[in-house]
Amino acid sequence: MTVLEARDVHLSFGRTPALRGADLRVAEGEILAVMGPSGSGKSTLLHCLAGILVPGSGEIHFDGHRIDQLGETGRSALRRDRFGFVFQFGQLVPELSAEENVALPLLLSGVRRTQATAEARVWLARLGLDGLEGRTSGELSGGQAQRVALARGLVARPRVLFADEPTGALDSLTGEQVMDLLVSSARDEGTTVVLVTHEPRVAAYADREVVVRDGKVLAVTAEAVA
Amino acid sequence: MTVPLTLLGLLEREPSHGYDLKRDYDAFFGRDKPLSFGQVYSTLSRLARDGKVVISDPEAGAGPDRKRYVITDSGATEVDSWLTEPVAPEPHLQTVLFAKVTLSLLLGRPAEHYLDTQRAAHMQRMRELTTVKRSGSLVDALLADHAMFHIEADLRWIDLTAARLDALAQEVRR
Ligand SMILES: Nc1ncnc2c1ncn2[C@@H]1O[C@H](COP(=O)(O)OP(=O)(O)OP(=O)(O)O)[C@@H](O)[C@H]1O
Ligand SMILES: [Mg+2]
C-alpha cells in the first residue's frame, strides 16, 4: 500500500527550478533511500513530501489525502502527529537535556509530562543512551547527539520518518551505528522511512533507492545488468 | 599465490596437520571457496620441496593425514615479507566499466542508461553486503566491508562519469 506519493511536483525558488516534475511513491513500512548529486532537489522533495514546503504545482498525497492543499495549520498538525524528522545538524534544543529533547514531540502533542518523560527514557535506553538523559547537546558526542535526535524523531511513533543526511556529520563507523539503530527501530515499529543521502553505504540500509537528477526522480532497477 | 602463503602463515602459529590447516583456512579465508584436501596436500608438498616447511617426526609408512608440518626459517621470512609488503594497487572492474562507457559513446548508444543500471546493480550488491554485515560475525563484516569500499569506489566513478558524460561524448566522437 502506498503511504506517500508525489505526482508531477514542480517547485522553484525564485528563478531556480528545484523540482521539475518529480514523481514518487513510497510504500507502507518501506525504507526508501533518495540519492542524487548535490543540488539535484533531494531535500526539496523531502520537504514537499513532509508538508514543510508546498509545491508550485503537482500533488502530494499522504494516506490517500492531498496534503499540498492543506493550510499551514493543517500541515503543521500533520508534521507533529504523523511525521518524525532527523536532520544532519543542530536539531536538539541546546538548553534542554537529552531527555527533555526526546520528550518534546510528545509534550507538543499534549501528552502529560510524566508519561512523556517515561517514554523518552525508554527510547533513550533503546538507543543505548541510558545514563546520558541529563546531558545537554553540548555534553554529547556527535554520534550520541544524533541518537538522541533519532529517539526524538521516533518517540511519537510517526507513520513516516524523514531523515535528511542523518549521518552526514558523523564518521563512518558512528554513522553505521546510527543507521543500524534507525533501521532496526523503524522495522520494529513498522515506520516508513524516507532517507536522503548521497552516501551509498548509508543508502544500502534501505530497501530500495531512487535517484533525483535535475529535479526529477529516476527509479532504476538492476534488471538490465547481467 | 595467496593459498600457499596463507597456509604457511597458519603454520606460523603452530605446527599442524593438513586436516587442521584446511579447517582453519576454510573458516577464515575460504568461506566462498573451501580448499580441497588434494589442494592442501599438494600445496604442502610443494612448500616442503621448496624448504618452507618440514615434516616433523613422520611415522613410518603413515599417510599424508598423519604428517605434522612445521614452518622453517625461510618459510617464516617469506610470510613476514608477504605480510609487510603492500600489494600493487590493481584496478579491477574499472577497465570493464570504462570500456563499456567509452564504447557506448563511440557507438552512439545510451551510456547514461548503462551507468544508471550499473549503479543500480552496484547498490543492490551494497544492500546484500549490508545484510551480511548486520547479521554475520565480525569476520563476515570485515570481508563485506572490504567489498563495499571497492564497490563504493566504482560508484563514485559512475556518478562522476555520469556528470561528465556530455563532455566525454564530445571528446570520443571527435
Ligand atoms: N531556500 C532556498 N532558496 C533558494 N534556492 C534554494 C533553496 N533551497 C534549495 N534551493 C536550490 O534548489 C535546488 C535544489 O536544492 P536541494 O537543497 O533540494 O538540493 P539537494 O539535492 O538536497 O542538495 P544537497 O545534496 O547539496 O543537500 C538547488 O539549486 C538549490 O540551490
Ligand atoms: Mg540536501
Side-chain angles (χ1 to χ4, degrees):
Chain A
M1 197 196 89
T2 301
V3 64
L4 202 57
E5 184 174 1
R7 287 189 199 159
D8 196 24
V9 168
H10 291 251
L11 187 147
S12 296
F13 294 101
R15 292 205 170 165
T16 312
L19 295 176
R20 321 186 202 203
D23 290 292
L24 181 68
R25 274 163 175 256
V26 189
E28 177 94 64
E30 181 176 36
I31 300 183
L32 175 77
V34 178
M35 306 187 73
S38 186
S40 59
K42 303 181 293 294
S43 297
T44 308
L45 177 62
L46 181 139
H47 291 153
C48 287
L49 291 168
I52 296 171
L53 286 172
V54 177
S57 69
E59 304 175 2
I60 306 288
H61 296 250
F62 168 66
D63 248 352
H65 301 288
R66 280 188 71 170
I67 64 167
D68 55 287
Q69 293 179 324
L70 295 174
E72 177 49 40
T73 321
R75 281 182 289 112
S76 96
L78 193 65
R79 294 197 298 266
R80 190 188 61 214
D81 300 332
R82 294 281 179 267
F83 298 159
F85 295 90
V86 190
F87 296 120
Q88 183 170 356
F89 310 104
Q91 32 193 343
L92 299 180
V93 182
E95 294 79 15
L96 298 184
S97 68
E99 185 175 281
E100 290 167 321
N101 265 289
V102 176
L104 204 55
L106 294 174
L107 294 173
L108 293 174
S109 297
V111 175
R112 295 225 323 274
R113 181 168 292 274
T114 45
Q115 193 192 337
T117 307
E119 287 185 33
R121 283 182 169 265
V122 169
W123 270 98
L124 287 168
R126 216 167 141 175
L127 298 188
L129 294 164
D130 17 359
L132 305 180
E133 295 86 353
R135 301 220 191 150
T136 63
S137 58
E139 296 163 344
L140 296 167
S141 73
Q144 290 165 342
Q146 206 58 350
R147 281 186 277 158
V148 175
L150 181 57
R152 196 179 62 175
L154 290 168
V155 71
R157 302 207 143 73
R159 288 283 304 283
V160 185
L161 179 72
F162 292 95
D164 196 345
E165 302 283 3
T167 63
L170 306 177
D171 67 54
S172 64
L173 189 61
T174 315
E176 290 191 18
Q177 287 163 351
V178 169
M179 281 311 300
D180 231 22
L181 290 166
L182 189 157
V183 166
S184 43
S185 316
R187 291 257 190 262
D188 290 350
E189 301 281 316
T191 311
T192 304
V193 178
V194 178
L195 165 70
V196 167
T197 181
H198 64 273
E199 285 179 68
R201 221 158 236 281
V202 174
Y205 282 87
D207 300 316
R208 155 176 97 96
E209 85 275 351
V210 294
V211 178
V212 178
R213 199 174 290 150
D214 299 329
K216 290 201 187 69
V217 182
L218 312 172
V220 187
T221 57
E223 252 90 85
V225 183
Chain B
M1 196 55 210
T2 312
V3 173
L5 284 161
T6 307
L7 289 181
L8 210 48
L10 287 173
L11 279 175
E12 193 166 346
R13 297 177 312 177
E14 56 180 356
S16 310
H17 292 99
Y19 173 83
D20 299 320
L21 285 173
K22 173 184 156 48
R23 188 199 52 211
D24 288 350
Y25 181 95
D26 289 349
F28 288 110
F29 310 106
R31 295 175 165 242
D32 304 329
K33 224 178 132 202
L35 285 182
S36 68
F37 279 108
Q39 206 179 349
V40 174
Y41 291 118
S42 64
T43 305
L44 287 170
S45 62
R46 253 177 284 122
L47 288 169
R49 180 198 68 201
D50 297 341
K52 310 289 187 218
V53 301
V54 291
I55 296 157
S56 79
D57 6 295
E59 296 164 31
D65 54 327
R66 301 296 310 141
K67 290 179 183 162
R68 219 158 68 105
Y69 295 85
V70 183
I71 194 166
T72 62
D73 284 348
S74 140
T77 307
E78 183 151 339
V79 170
D80 182 63
S81 48
W82 182 55
L83 291 181
T84 42
E85 280 161 24
V87 176
E90 201 187 338
H92 301 279
L93 268 182
Q94 190 185 322
T95 46
V96 184
L97 300 184
F98 175 78
K100 285 184 178 225
V101 170
T102 310
L103 200 58
S104 296
L105 294 175
L106 278 170
L107 301 176
R109 292 164 62 103
E112 179 160 38
H113 179 70
Y114 163 69
L115 286 171
D116 285 342
T117 47
Q118 186 63 62
R119 187 178 192 290
H122 272 55
M123 281 305 306
Q124 176 61 36
R125 186 74 190 122
M126 288 285 285
R127 277 194 291 277
E128 290 163 10
L129 290 164
T130 301
T131 308
V132 169
K133 251 180 84 159
R134 299 187 71 210
S135 53
S137 66
L138 195 54
V139 174
D140 288 324
L142 282 174
L143 278 171
D145 261 329
H146 192 267
M148 284 171 86
F149 281 119
H150 281 272
I151 295 172
E152 270 186 298
D154 282 348
L155 280 165
R156 282 198 190 185
W157 182 86
I158 287 169
D159 285 343
L160 194 70
T161 305
R164 290 175 173 170
L165 217 45
D166 291 343
L168 192 62
Q170 281 188 2
E171 201 165 305
V172 301
R173 284 191 204 133
R174 209 167 39 206

